[in-house]
Amino acid sequence: CLLTSSDDNVVRLFEPGGAAEDSSKLEEEWRLPHHDRVKSILKVQEGETIYDLAWLPTMTSSDPSSCCFFSTSRDNPVHVWDA
C-alpha cells in the first residue's frame, strides 16, 4: 500500500500492482495513459496543509484490522484513520 499527501490537502491510498489478475489485463493496463494506471482506493480530506503521515507500526496488508494510519495537519489534532 502506498500512502500519499498532496497540495490539495488530500491523503490518498494506492494499492499498486493489485489491479491486473492475468497477463492480458496487465498488458491492457500498461497501454493506458500513466494517470489512469493506478487509482486511489481511499481519499481523506484534511482541513489544512498536511505535515506528516505514518502507518500504524504493526500494520500489515494481510490483517485488515491493523490497516490504520495517522495524519497531522496545520492547526488540527493528530487524526487516526481506518484504511
Side-chain angles (χ1 to χ4, degrees), residues 50-65:
I50 299 167
Y51 290 145
D52 201 10
L53 303 168
W55 285 106
L56 182 69
T58 57
M59 185 276 196
T60 177
S61 294
S62 61
D63 180 11
S65 67

Side-chain angles (χ1 to χ4, degrees), residues 11-26:
V11 176
R12 290 178 177 84
L13 176 64
F14 297 92
E15 217 167 19
E21 292 141 9
D22 62 34
S23 60
S24 64
K25 287 185 181 179
L26 183 62

Side-chain angles (χ1 to χ4, degrees), residues 21-34:
E21 292 141 9
D22 62 34
S23 60
S24 64
K25 287 185 181 179
L26 183 62
E27 190 175 322
E28 288 173 26
E29 183 177 311
W30 280 104
R31 287 188 180 140
L32 292 171
H34 179 70

Side-chain angles (χ1 to χ4, degrees), residues 36-47:
D36 286 340
R37 290 185 196 162
V38 179
K39 299 210 185 273
S40 63
I41 58 172
L42 177 71
K43 292 181 183 178
V44 176
Q45 180 72 50
E46 282 285 5

